[in-house]
């Protein structure tokens, strides 16, 4: 057996060589960051609704997530930890006792757990192996007014456009590979969730989302009402992209026409979607998470705060971003310092912020043509010095 410490808990599980779905009971130390950030998000959500919240940790593994939620979040009522594996359940029992917390333990297939406990949870956390897509419909059925849906996806290669077919199969959406593929992936997951929820007259407000290492994570608040749901679906649409000149454009609406040819250079455009074009970061919610971080003991706090501050800045930014190296490669020039590009964009009256997706990323309302001009000018200035 192995025992580890994370947050305020100690967790035991059978030792294994390599983190994989073959481990007898799943525990991934790399996900501590995801769990730390989740604690802040769930606490911010609890503060927002200002009542006791019941949580469902649908894929419990060692129980670490649910046990940490119970121990480290204030205002938590019941926590249900579910896992199809009897051994995982056994360890959740051992770990709950070890940490002196009470959780309900269920051993059901995730969809059955959700279908048979409709409306019982304020938070449903879906942290499966790979894709959450086969469980979103049951969550959509289960979730009540003002509840919170948290989704982790580790099938990032399909969402990023490396393998389009599995993305179409799992998320009913077409991806493409570009400098902002992680963000497109997040927008595909959210779009898929929004369309699934719409069947149940529910729609979403995205509270926070991030792409970190090998996974993507989204926090969605559920709102009810058919009319408002219809309106919210205007946030579903497509992004079309020119691989030649980096032009990109959005088309709103599910059954809408999308442009085929780049208006800048005449090349054929590639299109991703349907995906979520609405906001994917909520400034007030993220500010609340940042404030709450002060009160919590988290090993990854510094890294979490860096992410949160970046996501907060991205809240008002456009849906895609540029990569300075990619621009310079296509222009066959050496890259100017990123900060100079930001200064110049702002000098010219454009909006420009960095992004957590990439250290080379620039989120701006300048068009690709305008940005390329600025980069060229800067490169010339550097050369002439
Ligand atoms: N949330 C955990 C954490 O933070 O450490 C990790 C969960 S692990 C990625 C996925 C777990 O889901 C495994 O323990 C596995 O036994 C369980 N599982 C896989 N398929 C399932 C299903 N259809 N229904 C319920 N549990 C399932
Ligand atoms: Zn073009």
């Amino acid at each position: 057996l192995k025992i580890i410490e994370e947050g305020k808990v100690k967790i035991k599980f059978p030792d294994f060589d390599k983190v994989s779905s073959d481990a007898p009971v799943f525990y991934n130390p790399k996900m501590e960051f995801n769990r730390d950030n989740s604690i802040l998000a769930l606490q911010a959500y609890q503060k927002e609704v200002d009542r006791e919240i019941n949580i469902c940790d649908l894929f419990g593994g060692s129980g670490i997530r649910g046990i940490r939620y119970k121990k480290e979040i204030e205002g938590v009522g019941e926590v249900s930890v579910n896992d199809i594996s009897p051994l995982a359940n056994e360890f959740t029992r051992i770990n709950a006792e070890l940490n002196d917390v009470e959780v309900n333990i269920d051993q059901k297939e995730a969809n059955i757990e959700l279908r048979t406990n409709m409306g019982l949870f304020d938070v449903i956390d879906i942290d499966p192996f790979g894709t959450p897509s086969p469980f979103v419909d049951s969550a959509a059925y289960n979730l009540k007014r003002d509840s919170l849906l948290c989704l982790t996806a580790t099938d990032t290669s399909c969402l990023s456009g490396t393998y389009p077919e599995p993305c179409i199969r799992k998320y009913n959406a077409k991806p493409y590979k570009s400098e902002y593929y992680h963000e497109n992936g997040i927008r595909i997951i959210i779009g898929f969730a929004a369309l699934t929820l719409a069947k149940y007259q529910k729609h979403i407000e995205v509270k926070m989302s991030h792409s970190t290492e090998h996974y993507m994570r989204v926090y969605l608040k559920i709102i009810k009402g058919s009319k408002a749901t219809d309106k919210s679906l205007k946030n579903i649409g497509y992004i079309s992209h020119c691989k030649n000149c980096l032009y990109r454009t959005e088309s709103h609406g599910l059954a809408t026409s999308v442009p085929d040819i780049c208006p800048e250079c005449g090349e054929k455009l590639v299109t991703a979607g349907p995906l979520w074009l609405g906001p994917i970061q909520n400034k007030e919610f993220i500010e609340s998470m940042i404030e709450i971080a002060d009160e919590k003991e988290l090993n990854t706090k510094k890294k979490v705060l860096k992410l949160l501050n970046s996501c907060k800045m991205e809240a008002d930014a456009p849906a895609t971003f540029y990569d300075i190296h990619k621009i310079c490669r296509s222009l066959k020039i050496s890259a100017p310092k990123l900060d100079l590009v930001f200064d110049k964009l702002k000098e010219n009256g454009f909006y420009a912020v960095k992004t957590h997706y990439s250290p080379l990323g620039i989120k701006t309302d300048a068009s690709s043509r305008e940005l390329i001009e600025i980069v060229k000018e800067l490169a010339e200035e550097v050369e002439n010095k």
Side-chain angles (χ1 to χ4, degrees), residues 26-28 31 35 57-62 64-65 82-85 88 108-111 127-129 135:
F26 188 84
Y27 168 76
N28 185 355
M31 284 300 205
R35 289 183 284 267
D57 176 7
L58 194 59
F59 296 85
S62 64
I64 186 164
R65 200 173 268 275
N82 178 72
D83 200 293
I84 202 163
S85 145
K108 295 212 189 105
E109 198 287 322
N111 285 297
D127 184 35
F129 293 133
F135 313 105

Side-chain angles (χ1 to χ4, degrees), residues 76-197:
V76 171
E78 306 225 339
V79 173
S80 299
V81 181
N82 178 72
D83 200 293
I84 202 163
S85 145
L87 192 63
N89 278 281
E90 187 50 34
F91 274 87
T92 297
R93 200 165 290 122
I94 292 169
N95 287 323
E97 207 177 287
L98 183 67
N99 291 286
D100 202 19
V101 298
E102 268 184 37
V103 296
N104 308 322
I105 300 172
D106 285 331
Q107 193 191 321
K108 295 212 189 105
E109 198 287 322
N111 285 297
I112 308 291
E113 173 76 354
L114 294 177
R115 294 280 168 181
T116 49
N117 289 303
M118 190 197 191
L120 220 63
F121 310 116
D122 298 285
V123 177
I124 296 177
D125 196 321
I126 299 191
D127 184 35
F129 293 133
T131 181
S133 80
F135 313 105
V136 176
D137 200 290
S138 299
Y141 166 83
N142 186 301
L143 286 159
K144 60 182 172 190
R145 191 183 299 278
D146 287 340
S147 57
L148 188 75
L149 174 63
C150 317
L151 300 174
T152 308
T154 56
D155 54 337
T156 52
S157 55
C158 90
L159 286 157
S160 318
T162 310
Y163 307 109
E165 286 81 8
C167 188
I168 292 168
R169 173 171 19 96
K170 294 190 241 179
Y171 298 97
N172 311 143
K174 206 165 137 276
Y176 56 67
K177 208 151 185 79
S178 67
E179 52 274 43
Y180 50 91
Y181 58 89
H182 288 113
E183 182 164 10
N184 263 4
I186 282 188
R187 291 180 184 278
I188 286 173
I189 299 172
I190 297 173
F192 174 73
L195 285 168
T196 307
L197 281 151

Side-chain angles (χ1 to χ4, degrees), residues 21 110 114 165 250 255-256 283 357:
S21 54
L114 294 177
E165 286 81 8
E250 297 175 9
T256 188
K283 212 184 247 171
Y357 296 107

Side-chain angles (χ1 to χ4, degrees), residues 241-248 261-269 368:
H241 177 90
C242 176
K243 293 200 168 178
N244 182 46
C245 74
L246 308 180
Y247 166 86
R248 66 274 319 251
I261 300 293
C262 176
E264 293 287 335
C265 75
E267 277 291 316
K268 203 165 161 35
L269 296 171
S368 55

Side-chain angles (χ1 to χ4, degrees), residues 252-322:
H252 286 248
L254 186 62
T256 188
S257 59
V258 293
D260 209 17
I261 300 293
C262 176
E264 293 287 335
C265 75
E267 277 291 316
K268 203 165 161 35
L269 296 171
V270 289
T271 294
L275 43 70
W276 182 259
L277 292 168
I280 59 171
Q281 309 290 357
N282 180 301
K283 212 184 247 171
E284 291 73 36
F285 190 81
I286 296 173
E287 271 165 5
S288 168
M289 287 173 72
I290 292 172
E291 235 170 71
I292 290 163
D294 259 357
E295 307 155 11
K296 306 278 181 199
E297 283 167 41
L298 304 169
N299 291 331
T300 72
K301 194 189 281 188
K302 226 172 122 186
K303 201 174 146 203
V304 170
L305 284 173
K306 187 167 175 244
L307 171 73
L308 291 174
N309 280 306
S310 189
C311 290
K312 184 178 134 185
M313 297 286 287
E314 290 169 41
D316 301 320
T320 67
F321 61 89
Y322 299 89

